[in-house]
Amino acid sequence: GTRRDSARAVIDASGTWQMPNPLGAGGIHAEGEAEFADRIAYGIPDILGRDRSLYAGKTTLVVGSGHSAANAVLDLASLANVEAGTAFIWTTRGTDLVRIYGGGDADQLPARGELGAEVRELAESGGVRLVTGFAAVSIRDANGRLVVEGQTRDGLQALGPVDRIIAATGQRPDLSLTRELRLELDPWLESVKALGPLIDPNEHSCGDVPPHGHRELSHPEQGFYTVGIKSYGRAPTFLLLTGYEQVRSVAAAIAGDMVAADNVQLVLPETGVCTVPRIGVADKGCCGGPAPAAVDACCVADAKAKAVGKGGCGCSVAA
Ligand SMILES: Cc1cc2nc3c(=O)[nH]c(=O)nc-3n(C[C@H](O)[C@H](O)[C@H](O)COP(=O)(O)OP(=O)(O)OC[C@H]3O[C@@H](n4cnc5c(N)ncnc54)[C@H](O)[C@@H]3O)c2cc1C
């Protein structure tokens, strides 16, 4: 049944895990995706653990270009070393894998750097068949196995036949819970609005984000806050460290301690492959992004400062 509670404030920390993105590259289910759902895993299945029998001796298609896909690909490679007949194909919608290959030794989170470096080595050594620029549109049966069709630069291409599919295509927030409320969200990412320009993975790969707290995480709906990975919407770069500071600030604000609430401190480990947030259109030079942070440091500082309402260094951007 439904229970109604009254509250002075509500903190939505419900995450995004229960809303995986579909296999279909356009954000809606690929044709056949529902029909063959029993052979599709979303996110990262436990390939070397409890799901081992599903993948051992089978051929799997991994779809996605994030860390989840990288984990799945590396696990399948390990499995293939010890289980005869195990094969896998890796396909990505985009063609630029710089974000997942990462900054290697320059990544301030060593494990993240290692993950990218390992998957890069696997792909570049031919240890996995990698098909980039493949936008999945349909799944069809092929004598009891599955063939996935996708749009590529050269027209429709088919991958397979495979036995199973791993859709590591990210997650999105479930906004149905709050549909009635006046929320201010980034129209593309469905993140809180202030963070959108700084975490858009199409523009920004640094992994850092300026310190932010209760002000950026609030909405026109008074007393309502979005925190945690849900505050990042569809952006894939959220770290627990960010969430801890978000929650501390929001809790302090609700308790009325505005000094503590506004004293937000956050230093995140950078990825080592930094591109600049494109927050506007500039003719040339500054703010054209993406560009190495060192080249465009003024604009990075400016964008960050503006996003948290703290002025900026004066770099001119037509927003
Ligand atoms: C594969 C993977 C690996 C990751 N690795 C790292 C890592 O190494 N380090 C790191 O910092 N971050 C990592 N992250 C990001 C990580 O998910 C977040 O940092 C962290 O889990 C986010 O915490 P959260 O509380 O916002 O959301 P979650 O951990 O997803 O928690 C949300 C909770 O809300 C519950 N919930 C949902 N809907 C409702 C509802 N309607 N009512 C009540 N409860 C509800 C859910 O069941 C869940 O328990 C990883 C993410 C993924 C997907």
Side-chain angles (χ1 to χ4, degrees), residues 13-18 44 68 171 177 227-229 238-240:
S14 60
T16 57
W17 190 241
Q18 280 130 326
I44 317 177
S68 296
Q171 297 90 233
L177 190 70
V227 302
I229 198 166
F238 185 82
L239 292 178
L240 285 164

Side-chain angles (χ1 to χ4, degrees), residues 105-192:
D105 291 343
D107 194 322
Q108 292 172 351
L109 270 186
R112 184 174 59 190
E114 269 170 41
L115 180 67
E118 277 179 38
V119 81
R120 176 181 206 151
E121 194 183 315
L122 187 74
E124 291 181 350
S125 67
V128 55
R129 180 180 166 210
L130 171 61
V131 180
T132 63
F134 180 92
V137 290
S138 70
I139 308 170
R140 58 181 166 77
D141 176 85
N143 296 322
R145 302 179 81 202
L146 302 174
V147 166
V148 179
E149 285 181 330
Q151 283 293 349
T152 71
R153 222 173 39 180
D154 304 321
L156 210 57
Q157 193 185 336
L159 292 178
V162 299
D163 302 297
R164 294 196 62 86
I165 298 167
I166 297 173
T169 46
Q171 297 90 233
R172 59 181 62 219
D174 179 357
L175 299 173
S176 61
L177 190 70
T178 51
R179 193 175 283 158
E180 186 68 16
L181 305 182
R182 285 162 293 170
L183 302 192
E184 199 161 43
L185 301 173
D186 180 274
W188 298 343
L189 294 182
E190 299 173 337
S191 66
V192 296

